[in-house]
């Protein structure tokens, strides 16, 4: 019985080692079959099979052997086919794998880098066009495959687009409130802060209302200048000149109005819905 118990571990050890040897033999045999299958897939232009066999071959390569160059050929063809089929995310993935692997001559590697950069820039331009047309969600969708591989802490174009869109949206809401309250100079300042074409176009009606109201205010002041102008109101011509000089220098209209009023010896007061410059 003692002899039998000692023989059992050797029996199972023999089975285990035999199984490992069998698996290694099968892997070695399959590795020898893969190059021919890979070459056939390359000749026939079967990109899916080409990638499948090249990845298997790369995984089975023994230590010290390099990834086959056929894998780079497969990825180049697969990336180009995916890009032409508008499968941009898949195309960028293949191209990034190709660039990271660094397979091929220096000229081929440089060409791979240029193509990846060109595709990224093309998608970014497409996203910006959609963004300017007012389709933020479509723009962000186009940018997803571009930004997927970027460093998470890096500056992303999508973040900039969201910030610009939200800022213009909030300014437009504020602009509508100021117009409703007839606070024309403040409304003009907010209007001039809009820097997105779609929101600028959306605000055209409000711009016309604001400009008409400000022109009416100027006409009213000129009318009063010909009549009995109160002594505590600053001269309209001096105020206009001071405001226009500041606007020309790059100051926002509302700040220009405040500064110009102070410069001609006045202060801004609210009389109903109007903001007037009264002499101190």
């Amino acid at each position: 019985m003692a002899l039998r118990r000692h023989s059992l571990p050797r029996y199972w050890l023999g089975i285990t080692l035999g199984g490992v040897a069998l698996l290694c033999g099968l892997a070695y045999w399959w590795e020898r079959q893969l190059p021919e299958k890979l070459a056939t897939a390359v000749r026939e232009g079967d990109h899916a099979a080409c990638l499948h066999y090249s990845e298997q071959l790369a995984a089975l390569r023994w230590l010290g052997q390099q990834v086959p160059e056929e894998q780079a050929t497969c990825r180049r063809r697969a990336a180009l086919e995916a890009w032409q089929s508008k499968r941009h995310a898949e195309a960028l993935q293949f191209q990034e794998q190709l660039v990271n692997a660094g397979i091929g001559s220096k000229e081929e590697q440089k060409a791979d880098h240029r193509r990846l950069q060109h595709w990224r820039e093309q998608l970014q331009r497409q996203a910006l066009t959609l963004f300017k047309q007012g389709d933020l969600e479509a723009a962000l969708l186009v940018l997803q495959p571009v930004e997927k591989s970027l460093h998470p802490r890096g500056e992303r174009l999508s973040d900039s687009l969201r910030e610009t869109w939200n800022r213009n949206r909030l300014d437009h809401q504020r602009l509508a409130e100021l117009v409703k309250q007839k606070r024309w100079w403040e409304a003009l300042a907010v209007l001039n802060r809009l820097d997105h074409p779609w929101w600028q176009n959306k605000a055209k009606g409000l711009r016309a209302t604001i400009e008409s109201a400000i022109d009416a205010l100027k006409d009213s002041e000129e009318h009063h200048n010909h009549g009995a102008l109160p002594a505590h109101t600053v001269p309209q011509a001096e105020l206009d000149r001071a405001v226009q000089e500041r606007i020309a220098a790059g100051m926002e209209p509302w700040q220009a109005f405040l500064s110009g009023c102070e410069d001609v010896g006045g202060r801004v007061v609210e009389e109903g819905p109007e903001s007037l410059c009264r002499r101190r």
Side-chain angles (χ1 to χ4, degrees):
M1 293 296 292
L3 180 62
R4 184 178 181 182
R5 283 198 299 271
H6 285 297
S7 64
L8 286 177
R10 290 195 295 271
Y11 172 76
W12 289 113
L13 178 62
I15 291 178
T16 302
L17 293 177
V20 171
L22 178 61
L23 289 176
C24 290
L26 288 174
Y28 183 80
W29 173 82
W30 182 241
E31 183 186 0
R32 291 294 173 266
Q33 305 301 312
L34 283 175
E36 182 179 351
K37 293 181 178 295
L38 178 58
T40 301
V42 172
R43 287 195 306 269
E44 296 177 352
D46 189 345
H47 304 320
C50 182
L51 285 171
H52 178 68
Y53 291 137
S54 65
E55 289 172 359
Q56 283 194 358
L57 184 58
L60 290 173
R61 286 289 186 181
W62 301 108
L63 186 63
Q65 292 184 312
Q66 297 179 347
V67 176
E69 292 191 5
E70 288 86 350
Q71 188 179 66
T73 301
C74 297
R75 284 177 174 169
R76 288 189 185 98
R77 293 179 179 179
L80 185 59
E81 180 188 22
W83 183 263
Q84 292 173 344
S85 301
K86 307 297 182 183
R87 305 195 313 272
H88 297 146
E90 186 178 344
L92 288 180
Q93 181 181 5
F94 284 135
Q95 196 67 20
E96 287 165 1
Q97 290 174 347
L98 185 61
V99 168
N100 293 334
I103 305 173
S105 65
K106 291 184 178 179
E107 290 74 16
E108 288 176 328
Q109 293 183 40
K110 288 181 179 179
D112 293 336
H113 277 278
R114 287 195 299 269
R115 173 175 286 179
L116 177 59
Q117 186 63 25
H118 174 70
W119 284 353
R120 285 173 172 170
E121 291 174 353
Q122 186 172 337
L123 290 178
Q124 287 173 341
R125 289 194 297 270
Q126 182 181 344
L128 287 173
T129 298
L130 292 168
F131 177 68
K132 291 178 180 178
Q133 294 172 351
D135 198 342
L136 174 64
E137 295 304 321
L140 297 179
L141 189 62
V142 170
L143 286 175
Q144 281 184 357
V146 179
E147 298 182 344
K148 185 177 181 181
S149 62
L150 297 179
H151 196 282
R153 296 182 181 178
E155 183 177 353
R156 295 172 179 264
L157 179 58
S158 60
D159 294 334
S160 177
L161 298 187
R162 286 191 185 94
E163 189 276 331
T164 300
W165 182 269
N166 290 330
R167 173 166 45 78
N168 278 264
R169 177 178 57 82
L170 293 175
D171 280 343
H172 188 272
Q173 292 177 357
R174 176 61 175 162
L175 178 63
E177 294 173 358
L178 291 172
V179 169
K180 187 176 181 180
Q181 297 169 8
K182 298 184 179 180
R183 296 162 63 178
W184 306 118
W185 287 104
E186 293 177 71
L188 182 60
V190 175
L191 177 65
N192 288 335
R193 283 206 302 265
L194 295 176
D195 58 1
H196 187 285
W198 190 84
W199 287 105
Q200 289 172 340
N201 185 66
K202 187 177 178 63
K204 278 185 176 180
L206 295 175
R207 175 179 289 277
T209 301
I210 293 168
E211 292 176 348
S212 297
I214 290 177
D215 289 341
L217 286 176
K218 291 180 179 179
D219 292 341
S220 176
E221 289 294 338
E222 291 177 0
H223 174 73
H224 285 302
N225 286 340
H226 293 290
L229 181 66
H232 57 271
T233 300
V234 300
Q236 181 67 33
E238 294 182 14
L239 176 62
D240 285 344
R241 184 168 54 253
V243 171
Q244 293 303 323
E245 287 176 355
R246 285 161 173 77
I247 292 178
M251 188 177 292
E252 291 186 350
W254 175 245
Q255 293 300 324
F257 179 70
L258 293 175
S259 177
C261 177
E262 182 178 357
D263 188 56
V264 297
R267 62 186 179 87
V268 176
V269 296
E270 301 290 341
E271 291 193 2
E274 306 295 344
S275 298
L276 301 177
C277 181
R278 297 295 188 187
R279 189 178 300 278
R280 295 177 182 174

